[in-house]
Amino acid sequence: MCKNSDVLIVGAGFFGAVIAERLAVDSGIKVCVIDKRPHIGGNCYSSVDDETGVECHHYGSHIFHTSNERCWNYLLNFTQFNAYRHVVHTKYRNQVYTMPINLGTINAFYGCNLTPSDAASFIRHEVERSDVKHPVNLEEKAISLIGRPLYDAFIKGYTLKQWETDPRELPADVITRLPMRFDYNTRYFDDVHEGIPLNGYSRLFERMLDHPNIEVCLNTNFFDLGERCKNYELIVYSGPIDQYFNYSEGRLNWRTVRFDMQRHDCSDYQGCSVMNYADSWIPFTRIHEFKHFHPERQQLQSTITYTEYPQAASQNWDPFYPVNTPRDLELLQKYNVLAQQENRVIFGGRLGYYRYIDMDDTIMAALDCYENEIRSRIALRLI
Ligand code: UDP
């Protein structure tokens, strides 16, 4: 393990990597970054498959998107992005539609030919029929935006598979991640900037962490360190918050996913990078075909797909998504109180905050944490 470091960073995903980079470059402080996995990059990790040449996102598709100029400019220090724009298709009852719901989805689903304003009044009527007045959960929010028939077809089954939780127990903002449109714009994200790192996510993380003040120790589990943690002035912890406290207040609900990887002897398996499966009786939620993320690269003869099966997180399956039921939010409050008492530890990232945030939110949270919290500790010579 790293010797002579002042700060220990637990987790080499975006939260940990940004803080490590800032401490090393901006403050000249020595940091030790540990990760229990054999690679950096957290869930963004990607690598090129030797057999096919396809760059796979090992923890599912990661498409970078942001409207935050500070975040975008920060990342441009480490990578360029390609011109990929994410478009998702979804299969329901053996028909393919575009997702998120747009004028094309509405017309195909209802078998009509509505204009944008016709579609808006038609959906308004569908929403009124459903009689949801004050939406407070995912189901009510979705119905208040698209009406019950579209909800039943494209959201309900997928959401039940993804979360294995009653959609009335899930927060409304999970569904507002997806736009709803009355034109034929099929882009998945509305953000100003979008793309995949030209040379992959791993190269981006390598460049962030490539500094004499940064030492990286892989295959190193924080919970095995014991007394060795005592030497650090500051610990930045981006693992699950409930695990840090040994689940003393109870276990938060987390979801994870399992992938079934297949190589195919054809140049294109499904014609797009992500195909969702909305029917509840199909056991997986989506199939990722990563080669579509790099149209600028040399075209390959074969392809790889990852089929995604959601499941509950457990000891052997790392958490990916916080479920955020009302019970979880109560528990989280207790953990946040405990976290505030840990003066030497900063909690962050999707797992440390227990918050369903995207890559850009994570990067911004880390930059703000460094500027507002860590720098003042340095000024007070606490590090
Ligand atoms: N969702 C859905 N049908 C879809 C896609 C998404 O019902 O075809 C819902 C589902 O509840 C999902 C949420 O919208 O968890 C957010 O989707 P997103 O694509 O942002 O999820 P992520 O890529 O983070 O897994």
Side-chain angles (χ1 to χ4, degrees), residues 236-253:
V236 176
Y237 174 84
S238 64
I241 187 166
D242 56 347
Q243 189 182 11
Y244 180 90
F245 293 105
N246 200 19
Y247 312 104
S248 63
E249 306 302 306
R251 281 178 187 263
L252 291 163
N253 269 304

Side-chain angles (χ1 to χ4, degrees), residues 93-107:
R93 294 194 178 165
N94 230 15
Q95 289 276 328
V96 177
Y97 301 87
T98 46
M99 193 76 195
I101 290 165
N102 63 82
L103 190 50
T105 326
I106 296 168
N107 278 333

Side-chain angles (χ1 to χ4, degrees), residues 62-65 72 81-85 193-197 201:
H62 280 72
I63 302 97
F64 190 81
H65 58 99
W72 182 248
F81 287 88
N82 71 5
Y84 177 78
R85 299 289 176 264
H193 302 291
E194 184 176 343
I196 310 283
Y201 281 96

Side-chain angles (χ1 to χ4, degrees), residues 159-335:
T159 296
L160 279 168
K161 290 189 285 185
Q162 164 73 14
W163 299 98
E164 251 185 304
T165 301
D166 184 335
R168 286 166 296 190
E169 284 274 292
L170 293 167
D173 57 8
V174 170
I175 205 62
T176 49
R177 291 170 59 82
L178 309 184
M180 156 73 184
R181 303 197 185 102
F182 293 111
D183 60 18
Y184 288 106
N185 175 6
T186 55
R187 280 181 60 180
Y188 205 67
F189 303 115
D190 276 333
D191 281 317
V192 177
H193 302 291
E194 184 176 343
I196 310 283
L198 259 190
N199 299 310
Y201 281 96
S202 294
R203 187 76 197 107
L204 153 61
F205 277 89
E206 276 161 24
R207 292 197 59 188
M208 284 179 94
L209 297 173
D210 180 19
H211 191 278
N213 287 339
I214 302 178
E215 203 177 324
V216 177
C217 297
L218 299 175
N219 302 303
T220 304
N221 191 332
F222 172 69
F223 298 100
D224 295 336
L225 295 186
E227 293 291 299
R228 279 180 288 173
C229 295
K230 293 233 163 81
N231 303 333
Y232 295 96
E233 308 291 338
L234 177 70
I235 297 175
V236 176
Y237 174 84
S238 64
I241 187 166
D242 56 347
Q243 189 182 11
Y244 180 90
F245 293 105
N246 200 19
Y247 312 104
S248 63
E249 306 302 306
R251 281 178 187 263
L252 291 163
N253 269 304
W254 298 94
R255 297 292 288 169
T256 190
V257 292
R258 173 176 71 76
F259 294 106
D260 175 23
M261 188 265 249
Q262 283 185 356
R263 294 190 182 87
H264 304 272
D265 208 6
C266 61
S267 61
D268 193 352
Y269 176 79
Q270 63 180 12
C272 62
S273 56
V274 178
M275 178 70 76
N276 288 356
Y277 287 79
D279 298 281
S280 55
W281 56 271
I282 293 179
F284 48 86
T285 45
R286 50 191 167 184
I287 299 182
H288 308 258
E289 187 175 8
F290 303 113
K291 71 184 303 181
H292 294 290
F293 285 144
H294 287 283
E296 79 284 3
R297 289 187 184 171
Q298 184 200 348
Q299 286 313 293
L300 305 163
Q301 293 315 304
S302 43
T303 188
I304 290 191
T305 55
Y306 275 32
T307 303
E308 180 171 327
Y309 294 85
Q311 57 186 38
S314 66
Q315 217 174 4
N316 300 324
W317 291 94
D318 288 339
F320 283 27
Y321 297 95
V323 182
N324 279 312
T325 62
R327 175 195 165 269
D328 291 320
L329 297 178
E330 264 174 44
L331 267 188
L332 179 63
Q333 275 187 357
K334 295 185 185 166
Y335 281 119

Side-chain angles (χ1 to χ4, degrees), residues 3 8 14 29 35-36 50 61 95 140 143 145 201 218 221 231 260 262 264 289 299 317 355 376:
K3 295 197 175 74
L8 176 66
F14 265 127
I29 283 181
D35 203 295
K36 66 176 189 175
D50 286 341
S61 295
Q95 289 276 328
E140 291 169 357
I143 292 173
L145 292 170
Y201 281 96
L218 299 175
N221 191 332
N231 303 333
D260 175 23
Q262 283 185 356
H264 304 272
E289 187 175 8
Q299 286 313 293
W317 291 94
R355 219 181 284 154
S376 52

